[in-house]
Amino acid sequence: MHDGSDTIVHEVTELTHGGAHVVIDFVGELGAEQVSWQMLRQGGTHFVVGYGGVVHVPTVHMIITEIAIEGSLVGNYVELVELMELNAEGRVKHHGQQYRLDQINQAIDDFKNRRIAGRAVIVT
């Protein structure tokens, strides 16, 4: 999600010609959990991986659009194998930043101020 959350649903709906088949929400809070399901097309699925927020979806919307909302901790073994194959083929792009242990305060500050793209990893 970007800072233009008030227009992101419209932008995604236009880019996908009616909404996304699947939205994977790795954030799960800070508003991402509210806009993610709104980006879905008829019959789409919102996978919630990140956590901390609360998803509020009108039940009538779920029924009329036949969308599904699913939680996922890590996926299953078959999906992990498929992900590793996609990674080996270079079809998956990882976003992450590394911080040394002595940079922990910088990592926390970057996290609080949303300067981390992807995942942050503390290494020793």
Side-chain angles (χ1 to χ4, degrees):
M1 190 170 104
H2 61 68
D3 289 341
S5 60
D6 55 335
T7 62
I8 189 72
V9 172
H10 177 72
E11 291 173 16
V12 169
T13 302
E14 280 193 4
L15 285 170
T16 58
H17 305 289
H21 291 279
V22 173
V23 173
I24 305 172
D25 176 7
F26 290 99
V27 179
E29 62 180 341
L30 304 172
E33 77 281 21
Q34 296 311 318
V35 297
S36 295
W37 63 266
Q38 295 179 54
M39 296 180 199
L40 296 172
R41 69 176 52 234
Q42 178 86 19
T45 303
H46 172 201
F47 289 97
V48 183
V49 179
Y51 53 89
V54 178
V55 178
H56 294 283
V57 183
T59 53
V60 70
H61 180 81
M62 291 181 73
I63 293 167
I64 291 171
T65 60
E66 298 180 306
I67 63 170
I69 299 174
E70 298 188 28
S72 178
L73 184 57
V74 292
N76 61 40
Y77 180 75
V78 172
E79 292 167 334
L80 178 60
V81 170
E82 290 172 351
L83 177 61
M84 293 301 103
E85 289 172 358
L86 289 171
N87 184 60
E89 294 168 5
R91 296 174 59 192
V92 175
K93 182 169 175 67
H94 299 278
H95 299 279
Q97 294 171 242
Q98 290 186 4
Y99 296 87
R100 294 184 318 271
L101 188 54
D102 63 350
Q103 295 175 303
I104 189 73
N105 290 329
Q106 181 64 50
I108 292 169
D109 187 65
D110 288 350
F111 174 75
K112 286 182 177 179
N113 292 290
R114 299 182 186 181
R115 290 188 296 258
I116 294 175
R119 301 285 181 177
V121 179
I122 307 300
V123 295
T124 56

